[in-house]
Amino acid sequence: MSPSSFAEPWEYTLYIPNDPRAVTVSRRTLRLVLTVHGPPQLLDVAELLATELVTNAVRHTKGPAALRLRWADGVLRIGVWDADPKPPAPPLFTPPDAEQGRGLDLVRACADCWGWHPVLSSGDHGKLVWCELGAAA
């Protein structure tokens, strides 16, 4: 695919239950979407970041969640909505051999930018934790 084929914006939302298996479903869905739409150079890091964000939503909240993917203007935005309005714990340095707690450290280190905001729309309440990757990454 030529770079011009990645010019068209697109957006997907995958609603997921609070179930650890949803992490695998989300990761595979993201891989399929990026394989179809591109750009291919973002695939591995986007898969890692989406996995971390979805894992946090499933592990630290009790309700449903959603993986939101949006491509526009050369930027991939990965967002994960969950029903818990509490902000995510700030990323802290976690020892490399720790089995948990590195998710937002990875997001901070690998994404061009990241953040979160409360969601108060008519259908969804909670928060959206997001990160962005530019096509030049």
Side-chain angles (χ1 to χ4, degrees):
M1 286 187 182
S2 70
S4 63
S5 65
F6 305 128
E8 288 296 315
W10 49 262
E11 189 167 341
Y12 288 86
T13 300
L14 174 67
Y15 287 91
I16 57 176
N18 188 282
D19 183 319
R21 295 173 291 191
V23 176
T24 300
V25 171
S26 297
R27 184 174 51 246
R28 289 182 180 167
T29 299
L30 177 136
R31 182 165 280 279
L32 178 62
V33 168
L34 288 183
T35 298
V36 170
H37 288 289
Q41 72 269 24
L42 297 182
L43 183 60
D44 292 333
V45 70
E47 186 177 33
L48 171 68
L49 298 179
T51 298
E52 294 301 332
L53 294 178
V54 171
T55 297
N56 283 349
V58 169
R59 181 176 287 154
H60 300 295
T61 67
K62 296 188 185 313
L67 172 65
R68 296 178 176 168
L69 306 170
R70 184 180 74 205
W71 172 260
D73 300 323
V75 175
L76 175 65
R77 177 174 269 218
I78 303 166
V80 175
W81 165 83
D82 65 59
D84 186 350
K86 291 187 307 189
L92 303 170
F93 176 76
T94 306
D97 58 344
E99 291 187 26
Q100 296 181 23
R102 293 189 310 258
L104 288 180
D105 284 337
L106 285 169
V107 172
R108 181 179 59 194
C110 297
D112 295 333
C113 60
W114 79 278
W116 78 278
H117 60 82
V119 175
L120 303 170
S121 67
S122 60
D124 295 334
H125 294 278
K127 69 178 169 295
L128 182 78
V129 182
W130 55 271
C131 63
E132 292 182 346
L133 295 170

